[in-house]
Amino acid sequence: MEDFSRRKMLATGGALGALGALGVAAPAAARPLWTWSPAGSVAGSGKGADPRWVWDDVADPLFANLLEKGNVPKFNELLRSWTKNNQPLPPGMPADIRDFLESARQLPAWVDQDKLTVVDEFNKKRGLYFGALYGFGSGMVSTAIPKEARAVYYSLGGWDLRDRLSKTAKLGYDICNAQPYAPENEIIVTCLKTRMIHAAIRHLLPQSSGWQGSADEEIPISQADMMVTWHSLPTHVNRLMTRWEIPVSAEESEAFLHTWQVCAYMLGIKEEYIPASWNEAEEQAKQVFDPVLAPTPEGIKLADQITSMGDRIDGTIMSKGVLESFTRYTLGDEVADFLEIPRHFFWDNLLKRGWPLFIKAREGLIEFPMGPEVFDNFDEILRKVALFYLSEGKKISIEIPERNRPE
Ligand code: HEM
């Protein structure tokens, strides 16, 4: 019953909200049950509640209220000056939001500083790869996640995608930074701002007729959706590192997972859904991530807009075609076809044949067999994609949206 009133409050489509609350919304009812066990989570136990029906009980009502009262512009002004993990909250915030942020900014008890130190070295060594892996691996695959593609497209951010991409890159930039969770750095604040944005989106999107017309749910960004997007980040990047044969030690791999477990917690994902190991992450991804990748008109448009942004990357070789081939190579043919990424015979084949050799040569494991000009072009792709992604994230401040994409 508690669940019902919460959903009623958040959803603007009364009758639909009620149907969803009773678990009889047709598309959701047709999906398989959630069977991933909380025993495999960082919490080690839990109720095992299906995360498709769990959102963010603490943040959601606070930001629904802030939006209803028209207080978002004032709140955003306060947020702009709040950037550092250890920085006191700016004066003037509503007391309930202040209490929420003071509690939500605390790191979980299971943070392992040794692992965070290992990940630092790993980021230093592999930072260049991460820019490309997050930017063109995670960023592009997210357009093939139907619920995320629709949510992004119909939110204000989908309307100004360039701005949205820079803002999303902020989290990637912060997590690749040295000691992201240290007091003088910014990831905790970025995660909390993101958590607040998601809470606002849960209130705003149900008011968008475009979103209502295309979405198969009444309230976006459930805990299950959060985990799907989470898998598009560390799990997908981990898979790509394996596929690209980037040398990663077991210790580095575990540390990399750990930094993302902490990030998930700071984003408001419940501990019982955060996988405790890569095995558990893979098990969960097989259930919630792999099967959901699919085309949507919104995702196809977003993917096209992202690959059209090559003009922002200084230089001549980053044409839309090269970015499309890089996307196809990174995501594989099936997902690239979902996104209607055109084929480019020359670059598609060059990347397929040459990229694995390029990585091995860059790692000093072999002599590059394809000539220095090919090596240099690949190196330029890697550097420019990474620079594009990471430098965009450096300068931006993220804020709570007040409205959806104009209709
Ligand atoms: C906003 C990251 C999950 C939809 C953001 C922002 C970040 C972010 C950094 C702020 C940038 C901005 O304002 O555009 C993440 C991460 C996730 C996650 C790390 C999971 C681990 C999701 C999911 C959805 C979603 C599951 C939808 C199904 C959105 C939307 C915005 C947003 C619509 C606001 C766009 C705007 O209007 O500006 N997210 N997100 N996110 N996110 Fe997420």
Side-chain angles (χ1 to χ4, degrees), residues 147-149 151-153 155-158 163-165 167-171 190 194 197-198 201 205 217 220-222 225-231 233 260 263-264 267 269 398-399 401 403:
K147 287 186 178 192
E148 188 174 349
V152 168
Y153 185 82
S155 71
L156 190 63
D163 181 58
R164 149 86 190 170
L165 279 185
K167 288 174 172 170
T168 307
K170 166 79 178 141
L171 193 129
T190 300
T194 304
I197 290 170
H198 288 155
I201 294 287
L205 271 185
E217 59 191 341
I221 325 188
S222 66
D225 296 330
M226 286 299 288
M227 282 318 301
V228 173
T229 300
W230 185 88
H231 286 297
L233 287 149
W260 276 102
C263 184
L267 285 165
I269 299 178
I398 61 178
E399 306 199 339
R403 57 195 172 95

Side-chain angles (χ1 to χ4, degrees), residues 102-305:
E102 288 299 6
S103 151
R105 75 191 299 181
Q106 305 305 319
L107 287 167
W110 41 266
V111 164
D112 183 332
Q113 277 307 329
D114 292 342
K115 287 186 183 169
L116 294 182
T117 305
V118 172
V119 92
D120 247 18
E121 286 306 309
F122 186 47
N123 278 339
K124 262 186 234 154
K125 232 171 27 177
R126 308 283 175 219
L128 198 58
Y129 296 133
F130 281 134
L133 290 164
Y134 288 137
F136 270 78
S138 308
M140 290 302 293
V141 84
S142 72
T143 63
I145 300 173
K147 287 186 178 192
E148 188 174 349
R150 291 187 194 113
V152 168
Y153 185 82
Y154 291 106
S155 71
L156 190 63
W159 185 58
D160 184 353
L161 199 65
R162 288 181 171 230
D163 181 58
R164 149 86 190 170
L165 279 185
S166 310
K167 288 174 172 170
T168 307
K170 166 79 178 141
L171 193 129
Y173 173 79
D174 285 348
I175 206 160
C176 288
N177 218 347
Q179 290 291 350
Y181 299 96
E184 67 281 12
N185 287 322
E186 303 194 356
I187 187 88
I188 296 177
V189 174
T190 300
C191 286
L192 291 179
K193 286 184 179 176
T194 304
R195 184 170 172 186
M196 295 189 270
I197 290 170
H198 288 155
I201 294 287
R202 290 187 192 102
H203 186 72
L204 287 171
L205 271 185
Q207 301 169 37
S208 152
S209 56
W211 184 78
Q212 274 186 358
S214 87
D216 58 359
E217 59 191 341
E218 294 90 54
I219 304 171
I221 325 188
S222 66
Q223 292 271 314
D225 296 330
M226 286 299 288
M227 282 318 301
V228 173
T229 300
W230 185 88
H231 286 297
S232 76
L233 287 149
T235 311
H236 188 60
V237 165
N238 195 44
R239 289 173 175 180
L240 286 174
M241 286 195 292
T242 309
R243 227 184 75 204
W244 290 10
E245 296 182 45
I246 297 173
V248 180
S249 71
E251 196 189 22
E252 286 169 337
S253 174
E254 227 190 287
F256 173 63
L257 173 64
H258 189 64
T259 196
W260 276 102
Q261 289 166 326
V262 181
C263 184
Y265 178 90
M266 301 313 292
L267 285 165
I269 299 178
K270 293 188 187 298
E271 287 163 295
E272 70 169 281
Y273 302 126
I274 305 173
S277 66
W278 277 123
N279 280 347
E280 290 295 343
E282 277 296 335
E283 278 306 305
Q284 197 189 71
K286 276 183 210 137
Q287 193 176 110
V288 300
F289 175 66
D290 301 333
V292 304
L293 300 182
T296 53
E298 293 84 359
I300 292 166
K301 280 184 223 158
L302 292 174
D304 181 62
Q305 286 174 34

